[in-house]
Amino acid sequence: MTAEETPAIEARTLRKTYKGDRSTPPKDALKGIDLVVPRGSIFGLLGPNGAGKSTFINILAGLVVKTSGTVKTWGFDIDKNPRQARASIGVVPQELNIDPFFKPAEVMELQAGLYGVPKSQRRTMEILEAMGLEDKADAYARTLSGGMRRRLLVAKAMVHNPPVLVLDEPTAGVDIELRKRLWDYVRGLHAKGTTIVLTTHYLEEAEELCDRIAIINHGEVACCENTPDLLARIDEKTLVITPEAAVQDLPQALRHLGAEVNELGQVVMSYAPSSHKMEMLLSAVHTAGISIKDLTTKESDLEDIFLQLTQSPQRP
């Protein structure tokens, strides 16, 4: 396997069991998962709270010791080559773990020093500006808002220019304008070759940004597919027709197609595009004598698939 073919992250039969105590049984946070993140991708890692996402990320960051299995970052085994593996990744944690008595510029310089980045190659102000923090470079961290502290965590993770950047809920508490600014910068990093791993509860973000998505549930990988393939899993659309005149009673032919009248007097039809063409549905509406004033369609999105996969009963 060439360097280009080597995954950015590769986990094989990765297991993590947290020990219990007298009142709490052991907890299997990861149940032998296999997960591969291709180089150069924006990879979404989704799942409900407690699914195992943060455990996986903390193992990558060296903050949690795995129970068994293997993990490689940029081709470096985290056990055999821990320094190279950790230098290959930048992690933005959920927790706001910043010393309140440090200033953003100091935080950046300290982090760069820890990673051995020469002063001539440090990009402190460039990264702070990209995060919208250039005017706060010399303010104490304790004076920053929650959104600013989260952006500082993102900046801190990028000081050593890692080939893999893991963003664990990076836009929580960040306003819309700064969220867009962050994603513009992330897209720029991706365009230059950085592999991005994103966990988020904003499913529309994952749908828009990620080219591949894995969903973890109960410590297991429920699915891992290219985003278009994942979105195609649910073969369902909804057609909403606003008629010119109120519909008093739906003809039987439309009822057979699953049509209903909602509280707004609209005709609503859920159908499978693979077996029902829009032309046929509209023809049935016209045949029923219903004049169309307006119509809209709603497609299944990532949230539908996420709920379908994560609300299934836990396997024994």
Side-chain angles (χ1 to χ4, degrees), residues 239-250:
L239 173 64
V240 181
I241 295 172
T242 302
E244 289 283 1
V247 177
Q248 301 300 327
D249 188 31
L250 275 180

Side-chain angles (χ1 to χ4, degrees), residues 27-93:
K27 166 70 174 176
D28 289 324
L30 296 174
K31 302 175 181 178
I33 67 169
D34 293 319
L35 198 60
V36 174
V37 178
R39 289 195 182 200
S41 64
I42 301 184
F43 189 94
L45 188 62
L46 309 183
N49 291 331
K53 305 185 304 296
S54 292
T55 295
F56 177 68
I57 289 172
N58 287 335
I59 289 173
L60 295 176
L63 300 176
V64 169
V65 178
K66 61 184 173 61
T67 301
S68 62
T70 61
V71 181
K72 294 180 181 179
T73 303
W74 214 246
F76 298 108
D77 188 291
I78 65 170
D79 293 324
K80 298 176 182 177
N81 307 102
R83 292 188 64 182
Q84 294 93 326
R86 292 177 190 176
S88 300
I89 193 169
V91 178
V92 181

Side-chain angles (χ1 to χ4, degrees), residues 250-260 267 269 281 284-285 288 290:
L250 275 180
Q252 197 64 31
L254 290 183
R255 293 187 183 278
H256 282 316
L257 291 173
E260 298 177 347
V267 179
M269 307 172 71
L281 297 176
V285 172
I290 298 175

Side-chain angles (χ1 to χ4, degrees), residues 224-288:
C224 182
E225 299 177 12
N226 292 331
T227 305
D229 296 333
L230 187 59
L231 292 173
R233 270 180 171 243
I234 299 182
D235 182 26
E236 183 179 323
K237 292 182 73 171
T238 301
L239 173 64
V240 181
I241 295 172
T242 302
E244 289 283 1
V247 177
Q248 301 300 327
D249 188 31
L250 275 180
Q252 197 64 31
L254 290 183
R255 293 187 183 278
H256 282 316
L257 291 173
E260 298 177 347
V261 178
N262 66 15
E263 65 275 7
L264 300 177
Q266 298 168 313
V267 179
V268 180
M269 307 172 71
S270 294
Y271 66 99
S274 62
S275 58
H276 292 79
K277 302 300 181 185
M278 176 69 76
E279 182 180 2
M280 183 271 287
L281 297 176
L282 293 179
S283 176
V285 172
H286 283 298
T287 301

Side-chain angles (χ1 to χ4, degrees), residues 201-213:
H201 281 93
Y202 298 107
L203 298 184
E204 68 278 7
E205 282 186 349
E207 186 173 339
E208 178 183 350
L209 292 166
C210 301
D211 46 57
R212 191 166 177 81
I213 291 174

Side-chain angles (χ1 to χ4, degrees), residues 18-31:
Y18 291 102
K19 295 181 179 179
D21 54 31
R22 293 181 180 177
S23 60
T24 307
K27 166 70 174 176
D28 289 324
L30 296 174
K31 302 175 181 178

